[in-house]
Amino acid sequence: MSRSAHPAGPRYADVIPEGHYSAPPADLNALDRRVWARTVGRDADGVATVGGLDVQRLAEEFGTPAYFLDEEDFRARCRAWREAFGDGADVFYAGKAFLSRAVVRWLHEEGLNLDVCSGGELATALAAGMPAERIALHGNNKSTEEIERAVREGVGRIVLDSFQEIVRVAHIAEKLGKRQRVQIRVTVGVEAHTHEFIATAHEDQKFGLPLAAGQAAEAVSRALRLEHLELVGIHSHIGSQIFDTSGFEVAAHRVVGLLKQVRDEHGVELPEIDLGGGLGIAYTADDDPREPHEIAKALSEIVTRECEGAGLAVPRISVEPGRAIVGPTAFTLYEVGTVKPLQGLRTYVSVDGGMSDNIRTALYDAEYSVALVSRTSDAEPMLSRVVGKHCESGDIVVRDAFLPADLAPGDLIAVPATGAYCRSMASNYNHALRPPVVAVKDGEARVIVRRETEEDLFRLDVG
Ligand code: LLP
C-alpha cells in the first residue's frame, strides 16, 4: 500500500459529523429543566443543589462518583402516572430500571404495583413489604425456584413467556395447591425505535409468543385448559425509550384482535391487557417525551375504541413504566481528574467513574448531557468527551458535550437522567467499587444503596 493511502491522522471533519456542533448551548451554566430532576437548581454561589443540598457538600459527605436521587421527583412521577391512569388501571413500576428496598417502600406508599423480572428483584420487593398480590413476575426463563417462590408467596400475576413455561407454572401451582393468575406475553410485530416504530419482524426475538403465526392464540388455548392457571390477560411490551405513542396504538389494536379471537373461539373475555413500559425520557434537551396523561389518554382511547368495535367489554389496562419514573430523578456526580486537549479534535475529560456506573453509552450509543456543577463559569464552550477511568477506549460516559474551557481537575461535573439502567446495570469492571445511591429530600440526604468497599470485593473472592 502506498504511503499516501495512510491518512496522517484523524481530521476534525472525520470525528465531528458536519453540522453536529454548530451551536453550543447558549448558556453552559443553565441546568435545563427537561433533563434535570425537579428540585435541581443553583445556589447564590453558582453551586448546583438538589433537594436543598449543594453538590459540593454532598460530594464531601458521600464521595464521588455517586448517584443522587431526588425523592420528591420520584414520588411526584409515581403520582402523575397513578393519576393519569386513574382507578380503572394499574401502574406497575418496572424494577429493572432501579430497585432498592427504599424504592419499594416509596412505590407502596404511592399506590404503584411492581414488575420484577428475577428472583433477586422479587426478594427485594417482598423484603421491603410490597404485598405479593401487587407484584408481577416476568422473564423468558424463570427458574423453578423463582416460579415456586412467586406462586407460594401469591404474586398477583406471572407473565408466561413460552409453551414450556405454561406447563411449568401450572405444574408448580398444582403441586402447591394453588391457582395462579397469569398473563401471556405476546409479540405484536411492531418494532419500536427511539423516535419511530417500524412494523417489521420484531417477532424475531426471545420474548413473547408471536401473534402473527398463531402461537399466541395457541398459548391462550393451552393456558385456558389448565385448571391451576387463571388466565387473566394478554401482555405486550414493544420496546424502550419510545417517544411516539403510535407504536402502542398498533400494539393495542393487535392485542384487542387476539382478545376477540379468544372470545370467538373459547367464549371467554379476558379481563386484562398490559401494554408494557418503554416510554422515553429526555436525556438531552433535544428529546421531547410525552407526559403520562397524554399516554394514558391515547392508550385508553384506542383500547376503548377497539373493544367497542369488537363488541368486547373494555379490559382493565396496565402499564409498566420504569425509565419514565426513575430515569429523570437522578444524576451521577463525578470529580474531574484530568483534562486532556487533543489538538484539532476535542478535549478528553476523565472522571472518577465510567462504564462501570453507566454502561449505556458504550452499549447503546446512548446520548447524555453534562454540566459543571461545583461552580459556574464564563469561559468559552469547549468541545469535550467525558470518559471514565477504565482500561478500555470505549469507556465513554458522554460522547459529545460542551463544557467550559476553564474546566480543571477537582471540578465536579454531573450527568443528569441516570436514574434508570445505570446503577441497576453497574458492574465491577476493573474491580471498580460500585457507587452509592443517595436519596435527597427536603434538605436531607440518605444513603439507600451504599458504596461498595474492598471488603465487598473480597467477600466474593474467597481466595
Ligand atoms: N416491562 C417489560 C416487560 C420490560 O421488558 C421492560 C423493559 C419494561 C417494562 C420497562 O421499560 P422502560 O419503561 O424502563 O423503558 N437496559 C435498557 C433498557 C432495557 C429494558 C428492558 N425491558 C436501557 O438501558 O435502555
Side-chain angles (χ1 to χ4, degrees):
M1 198 184 274
S2 74
R3 279 182 68 107
S4 62
H6 294 277
R11 293 168 307 136
Y12 193 77
D14 292 335
V15 286
I16 317 274
E18 207 180 327
H20 219 64
Y21 298 104
S22 48
D27 178 4
L28 280 185
N29 298 314
L31 300 173
D32 195 307
R33 285 268 54 84
R34 281 166 290 191
V35 291
W36 291 88
R38 210 156 293 205
T39 71
V40 170
R42 285 193 191 266
D43 67 15
D45 299 324
V47 181
T49 60
V50 56
L53 296 173
D54 82 65
V55 294
Q56 197 75 58
R57 245 188 69 193
L58 290 170
E60 277 157 26
E61 187 170 348
F62 301 103
T64 55
Y67 308 97
F68 291 96
L69 194 160
D70 182 342
E71 180 180 339
E72 191 179 310
D73 194 6
F74 185 98
R75 288 178 180 273
R77 286 174 194 278
C78 289
R79 284 195 290 274
W81 278 88
R82 280 278 306 119
E83 284 158 20
F85 280 87
D87 292 335
D90 296 304
V91 180
F92 286 76
Y93 169 78
K96 68 209 82 182
F98 173 64
L99 200 65
S100 76
R101 287 180 290 178
V103 163
V104 174
R105 284 191 286 270
W106 301 341
L107 294 167
H108 191 187
E109 285 163 13
E110 301 298 344
L112 267 66
N113 299 349
L114 179 58
D115 141 10
V116 299
C117 67
S118 70
E121 288 183 3
L122 177 60
T124 305
L126 293 170
M130 179 60 87
E133 67 271 14
R134 283 173 49 192
I135 300 175
L137 176 66
H138 274 276
N140 65 303
N141 187 18
K142 308 167 189 76
S143 71
T144 303
E145 293 73 26
E146 287 169 330
I147 298 169
E148 271 178 2
R149 180 155 194 203
V151 174
R152 194 176 307 112
E153 299 280 356
V155 301
R157 61 163 86 140
I158 296 180
V159 182
L160 301 172
D161 198 272
S162 66
F163 289 126
Q164 282 135 8
E165 203 171 73
I166 294 172
V167 178
R168 215 171 270 161
V169 173
H171 181 70
I172 289 170
E174 182 176 5
K175 199 178 73 181
L176 296 175
K178 300 236 189 186
R179 186 152 193 258
Q180 177 62 47
R181 288 163 61 85
V182 294
Q183 291 187 339
I184 290 174
R185 179 159 174 181
V186 304
T187 46
V188 293
V190 172
E191 187 175 351
H193 282 295
T194 301
H195 289 94
E196 82 261 35
F197 73 93
I198 308 165
T200 59
H202 196 53
E203 286 156 340
D204 188 1
Q205 53 137 324
K206 73 171 183 170
F207 290 111
L209 288 155
L211 272 180
Q215 285 172 288
E218 173 60 21
V220 169
S221 303
R222 294 192 193 183
L224 284 173
R225 286 202 294 269
L226 295 167
E227 63 175 305
H228 289 275
L229 298 185
E230 180 189 352
L231 180 63
V232 291
I234 302 296
H235 184 288
S236 153
H237 171 77
I238 58 169
S240 257
Q241 185 59 2
I242 302 163
F243 290 98
D244 186 347
T245 55
S246 51
F248 292 97
E249 293 179 20
V250 175
H253 167 76
R254 296 191 182 161
V255 169
V256 172
L258 177 61
L259 295 184
K260 182 171 181 294
Q261 189 184 342
V262 172
R263 193 262 328 264
D264 294 345
E265 285 174 15
H266 303 281
V268 173
E269 287 200 24
L270 298 177
E272 295 178 5
I273 152 173
D274 189 310
L275 293 169
L279 275 308
I281 62 164
Y283 285 102
T284 74
D286 293 335
D287 296 327
D288 185 20
R290 304 273 73 78
E291 292 294 325
H293 67 88
E294 296 176 85
I295 295 152
K297 185 166 177 288
L299 294 188
S300 62
E301 273 175 13
I302 175 90
V303 172
T304 305
R305 194 167 64 235
E306 295 287 325
C307 286
E308 280 170 359
L312 291 166
V314 179
R316 191 172 176 87
I317 298 178
S318 51
V319 287
E320 298 171 336
R323 185 193 323 263
I325 291 180
V326 70
T329 67
F331 61 81
T332 315
L333 188 64
Y334 299 104
E335 184 177 303
V336 173
T338 65
V339 178
K340 186 193 286 182
L342 294 186
Q343 205 63 49
L345 294 171
R346 71 182 78 233
T347 298
Y348 277 77
V349 174
S350 293
V351 295
D352 47 359
M355 65 194 299
S356 56
D357 57 73
N358 186 349
I359 190 68
R360 297 192 69 261
T361 308
L363 197 55
Y364 313 116
D365 236 351
E367 288 185 17
Y368 281 92
S369 327
V370 59
L372 169 61
V373 287
S374 46
R375 61 186 173 90
T376 51
S377 165
D378 295 328
E380 288 297 301
M382 165 176 85
L383 180 61
S384 311
R385 177 161 289 171
V386 178
V387 295
K389 59 180 288 168
H390 294 282
C391 198
E392 178 138 343
S393 56
D395 172 25
I396 297 169
V397 181
V398 187
R399 188 174 300 280
D400 302 308
F402 283 99
L403 283 162
D406 63 353
L407 193 76
D411 279 333
L412 297 176
I413 62 176
V415 174
T418 58
Y421 304 110
C422 285
R423 181 58 181 79
S424 69
M425 294 176 78
S427 78
N428 287 117
Y429 184 42
N430 298 150
H431 286 199
L433 303 170
R434 284 179 293 179
V437 181
V438 181
V440 186
K441 184 168 179 272
D442 299 333
E444 278 181 27
R446 181 165 68 97
V447 174
I448 59 171
V449 178
R450 72 157 167 77
R451 185 184 300 284
E452 274 178 342
T453 62
E454 284 184 5
E455 290 74 59
D456 292 324
L457 290 181
F458 300 141
R459 251 209 323 257
L460 299 181
D461 173 353
V462 294

